[in-house]
Amino acid sequence: MNVLVINCGSSSLKYQLISMEKEVVMAKGLVERIGIEGSILTHKPEGRDKIKIEESMKDHTDAIRLVLEALVNETYGVIKDMSEIGAVGHRVVHGGEKYSESVLIDDEVMRALEDCTSLAPLHNPPNLIGINACKDLMGNTPMVAVFDTAFHQTMPDYAFTYALPYELYESHGVRRYGFHGTSHRFVTAAAANMLGKNAKELKLITCHLGNGASLAAIDGGKSVDTSMGFTPLEGLVMGTRCGDIDPAIVTYIQRVLGVSNEEVDNIVNKKSGVLGISGISSDFRDIEEAAEKGDKRAQLALDVFHYRVRKYIGSYAAAMGGVDAIVFTAGLGENSPESRCEICKGLEFLGVKFDESKNNFRGKAEFISADDSKVKVIVIPTNEELMIARDTKEIVCG
Ligand code: ADP
C-alpha cells in the first residue's frame, strides 16, 4: 500500500508518498507561496533529480492537484495513476481534548476539527483546507488525521492544569495541550528499540530541538508532561518564540510600548527566542558561527537556550522520579554536537556520563553517552511523516 502524507501550512504544503511494504519514500516535495505570486512546486522522485514547477496556484486545491499530477507524470512521476494511492494521512496541529489518537476522517471528525479551530487559529484552518482539497480531488480515498496534540493527552490533570480560574478550562479549554506529539512518539518507539526494552519499562526525556522546540517526559511509553502548553509558545527558548516568561511582561510591554495585542503576539512569537536575544538570526547555525567569532549576544542566546533545556531535563527527571534515557531529535538535536554537549554539562548528578568522542556526528541514530552511563543519551532523527503514514495504514487496513 502507498500512503500520501500531507502537511498543509497557510501558504505551503509538504508531501511524501511512502510505500508501506518496506517503508520507503517514493517521492517527496514542497509547494511554496500558495495563493501568492510566484507559486512553486519542488518535486523529488526518489533516486532522481528534483524538479521545480512554477505555476500559478490560487489555493490549496490547485496545489494538491499539481502534486497529484507530478506523482503520476510520465517523466518524473512514481505511480501510474491515482488508484495507486491507498490512503492519505494528514498532519493536523490541534485535536483538542477529543482526540488522543489518530482517526479516520468522516463528516463528524471534520465538524470536530472545525470546533478545534479557535484553539489553533493559525494552524488548523490550512490543515482543514488541505483535507477538503484532497476530498475534492481524490473522491473516496480514505483519509486519516494525525494530531500534534494527541500523544500528550495522557498527561495527568495536575500536569495540564494552569493555576487560573477553573472556569477558563471548563468553558474555554484553557489548559496545556502540548505539540510535536508525533515526533515525541516516533523517537520514544525508536529509543525503546535501541535500548532493547519495551517502552512500558522506560522513563524517557525526549528533546525535540528544531526551530520550534519542546521537551516531553515519557513514563512507561506515555507522555506525562511536555513543555509546550496551550499554544506552542510556552516552554523552551526557540528560534523566534520566547518560551516561558513572566506573563505580566505581556501587559507591561503593551503599556510601555503602546502596542496592540497583535503586535505583542508578534513580538513574543516572531521577534523573540534566540533571534530576539542575539539580534542576528533564528537559525542556530548562524548563531553558533557568530558566537564562535566572539559575538557576545550570540553566545548569550546559546547559553540561555541550553540552560533552559537543561533546567527542563532536571525538572522532568524529578517529575518522573528518575530517567533512563535522554533523546535528542529535530534540526538542532540531530545536527549540533555543540548544543548536545552544552545541554548535558552538569547533568552528571543525574547519572549522565556524556562521551564527547562519540558525539561528533550529524543526522543518525547513535548513543552519545559512555557505555557505563546510568542514564543513556541518544540521538535519533525524527520522522513525523513515517509515523503519520504508519498510523494511516493501521487505521485504514486494520
Ligand atoms: P522546524 O521543523 O521546526 O522548522 P527543524 O527541525 O528543521 O525545524 O530545525 C531547524 C533548526 O535546526 C534551525 O534552527 C537550524 O539552524 C538547526 N540546524 C539544522 N542543522 C544544523 C546544524 N548543522 N548545526 C546547528 N543547527 C542546525
Side-chain angles (χ1 to χ4, degrees), residues 184 205-210 212-216 227 235-238 244 274 284 301-317 326-329 332-333 339-345 347 349-350 377:
H184 288 294
I205 297 174
T206 50
C207 311
H208 178 109
L209 308 178
S214 69
L215 254 68
S227 59
L236 303 180
V237 174
M238 309 185 207
D244 296 338
V274 289
F284 281 90
L302 293 175
D303 291 346
V304 174
F305 175 82
H306 297 142
Y307 174 67
R308 181 81 51 91
V309 178
R310 200 182 312 131
K311 209 159 77 163
Y312 263 95
I313 290 175
S315 70
Y316 284 173
I326 298 166
V327 181
F328 287 104
T329 193
L332 187 75
S339 279
R340 297 190 297 245
C341 182
E342 285 304 316
I343 289 166
C344 289
K345 269 186 190 157
L347 291 180
F349 79 98
L350 267 183
V377 187

Side-chain angles (χ1 to χ4, degrees), residues 244-300:
D244 296 338
I245 55 167
D246 179 343
I249 294 170
V250 170
T251 44
Y252 179 77
I253 52 180
Q254 240 171 338
R255 224 173 28 245
V256 295
L257 300 181
V259 292
S260 64
N261 293 345
E262 290 72 27
E263 182 51 22
V264 179
D265 214 44
N266 194 36
I267 290 172
V268 292
N269 275 291
K270 302 269 173 65
K271 296 183 177 172
S272 299
V274 289
L275 168 69
I277 300 173
S278 69
I280 292 173
S281 169
S282 63
D283 193 306
F284 281 90
R285 281 166 290 204
D286 301 336
I287 298 173
E288 284 179 359
E289 199 184 310
E292 213 152 282
K293 287 186 186 142
D295 188 289
K296 289 213 162 51
R297 270 171 57 189
Q299 187 57 54
L300 178 63

Side-chain angles (χ1 to χ4, degrees), residues 161-177:
T161 302
Y162 290 120
L164 289 166
Y166 198 67
E167 304 77 59
L168 285 173
Y169 166 54
E170 290 181 308
S171 309
H172 298 284
V174 178
R175 52 159 283 178
R176 176 183 311 285
Y177 290 98

